[in-house]
Each structure stands twice: as structure tokens, then as C-alpha cells.
Amino acid sequence: MKVNQAEIVISAVSKKQYPNDGFPEIALAGRSNVGKSSFINKMIQRKSLARTSSKPGKTQTLNFYKINESFFFVDVPGYGYAKVSKKEREAWGRMMEEYFQERETLRATVLLIDLRHPPTEDDIIMYDFLKHFDIPVLVVATKLDKVKKAKRDKHIKVVREALDLESEDHLVAFSAETGEGKDQAWRHLSEFIS
Ligand SMILES: Nc1nc2c(ncn2[C@@H]2O[C@H](COP(=O)(O)OP(=O)(O)OP(=O)(O)O)[C@@H](O)[C@H]2O)c(=O)[nH]1
Ligand SMILES: [Mg+2]
């Protein structure tokens, strides 16, 4: 996919603020700090359109990025960050449910998993949540550059087995540093937005 145009349209906290131009959407979900914003930037070849941070909890709103005047990437706040209050966690849950249950233009979700570690309980809950709502999932295992070549296949197998991936769900190993996995991720995502 050649990206000619990319812009942030809105940072939304409730559905009244979602864009209503009807373009298909691909959401990004995953733990805080797993690399959701970095994934968007690498995919669209922009260094820092989506704000990233080495500190978890950077993305706090639903950020809608319009790409090529034809679809949206929606950057979603991460989960699993210990330093949030019960109140914040509940607000996060409401925002996620409102988006994932009701958004008609949502075509698929990219679920990002840190390839260095086995999926967490929260990762498994997120995958099951998406399956429950019949939302197509592409699993992207991030930080591939941080895993030794000889260990990659084993780590990928651990991710597949822990999530109990259904046969229709693909997994792409990806690095936002090197760009490995980028073309493969685009091939899968293109099918959802065409
Ligand atoms: N080595 C390496 N670092 C990465 C990769 N992807 C992301 N990072 C780093 O991981 C940190 C977190 O990345 P973000 O893209 O901000 O993560 P996020 O999932 O958007 O985090 P929140 O917005 O807090 O939910 C940053 O320091 C990134 O540079 C990768 O593929 N390889
Ligand atoms: Mg982010």
C-alpha cells in the first residue's frame, strides 16, 4: 500500500465525536507500550504522526487517522498499565465497549502482542472480546527486532497457542524499527478495507 496522505482527524472520548464520513476503519488494540502508535507510524511511513512514548499510557483517547482519503486507523488506549486508578480503568472499559460494540464502520482490529513475552491474561481477554463481537482480528507480534533469530519461531508458537488463534486469524511478526512484517501486514489489512 502506498500512503500518500495521512492526518489526524480527531481524538475522541465518546461516540458523538467519531468521524461520520463512513470510511472503513481498522483499530489497534494491545497493552500499553506494546507499540500500537509505532505500528501506525511505520505502516504509513511517518516518523511521529501517532504520538509514541517509552512511558506506558501515552495514548488516552481514540485517535482517528485518515489515510489516503479512504480509510481510518484508530489508535486505541492500551490496557494493562498498572498505574491507573479503578475509575480510569472503568472509563477505559466504557470507551472500549462503546467503540467495539457499536462502531459499524469497524472492519478489523489489529491486536498487538509483545513477541518477547508470552501473551498476558489481558491479551487473552482482549482476543476473546474481539471474537465475541465477531470482529476480524489480525495479530501482530511486535518488537521482532528484540528477539534473537533462533528464538523467533518458538516465541511465535507461544503467542498462537496462548491466544488459541482461530484458523481464519493470521499472525504477522513485525518490527517498527526495521520494518520487517510491514508488507505482510498491509496484504492482510488491504483485504479488510477494499
Ligand atoms: N525495538 C523496538 N521498539 C519498539 C517497537 N515498537 C515500539 N517500540 C518502542 O516501544 C515504546 C512504546 O511504543 P508506542 O508505540 O508508544 O506504544 P503504544 O502501544 O502506542 O503505547 P500506549 O500509547 O501507551 O498504549 C516506544 O519506546 C517505541 O519506540 C519495535 O518494533 N521494536
Ligand atoms: Mg500509543
Side-chain angles (χ1 to χ4, degrees):
M1 166 95 49
K2 189 164 172 358
V3 174
N4 307 309
Q5 182 264 352
E7 61 177 328
I8 174 130
V9 172
I10 190 161
S11 296
V13 292
S14 72
K15 67 180 174 195
K16 290 192 296 290
Q17 299 172 306
Y18 300 166
N20 58 9
D21 33 15
F23 291 134
E25 268 166 33
I26 292 172
L28 286 295
R31 268 168 63 201
S32 248
N33 216 40
V34 69
K36 298 176 294 298
S37 302
S38 302
F39 175 82
I40 294 179
N41 288 333
K42 192 69 193 178
M43 292 295 278
I44 66 178
Q45 306 272 39
R46 293 285 197 87
K47 270 211 172 63
S48 55
L49 183 67
R51 299 284 300 281
T52 65
S53 168
S54 56
K55 288 204 291 278
K58 179 73 194 169
T59 307
Q60 295 282 358
T61 49
L62 293 164
N63 296 336
F64 289 77
Y65 296 94
K66 195 194 275 184
I67 313 296
N68 287 353
E69 290 293 337
S70 65
F71 74 97
F72 286 102
F73 272 134
V74 185
D75 198 3
V76 167
Y79 49 78
Y81 176 40
K83 284 193 195 145
V84 294
S85 64
K86 185 154 178 265
K87 247 198 166 125
E88 287 172 308
R89 236 189 338 263
E90 284 168 0
W92 179 89
R94 278 193 300 276
M95 191 159 84
M96 302 298 275
E97 277 184 9
E98 185 174 58
Y99 178 75
F100 284 105
Q101 284 179 20
E102 299 179 30
R103 187 62 167 162
E104 281 173 7
T105 46
L106 177 63
R107 293 287 180 81
T109 295
V110 180
L111 176 61
L112 291 95
I113 307 284
D114 189 330
L115 186 61
R116 295 174 300 176
H117 314 291
T120 64
E121 196 57 40
D122 286 337
D123 290 330
I124 295 166
I125 290 170
M126 190 72 215
Y127 178 73
D128 292 344
F129 173 88
L130 295 167
K131 298 310 293 184
H132 175 76
F133 289 108
D134 273 325
I135 298 164
V137 179
L138 174 66
V139 176
V140 167
T142 63
K143 310 199 183 185
L144 176 63
D145 57 286
K146 297 263 201 181
V147 180
K148 287 202 184 82
K149 287 220 163 76
K151 297 210 158 161
R152 290 179 175 181
D153 285 348
K154 186 168 165 246
H155 283 228
I156 289 167
K157 188 162 176 262
V158 167
V159 172
R160 269 186 194 290
E161 287 179 355
L163 295 179
D164 197 11
L165 272 201
E166 292 186 358
S167 55
E168 75 252 31
D169 295 329
H170 297 282
L171 182 151
V172 174
F174 182 87
S175 167
E177 288 288 313
T178 65
E180 272 174 286
K182 183 180 157 192
D183 293 345
Q184 206 190 343
W186 269 129
R187 270 199 299 281
H188 292 304
L189 295 184
S190 300
E191 287 184 17
F192 296 125
I193 52 183
S194 58

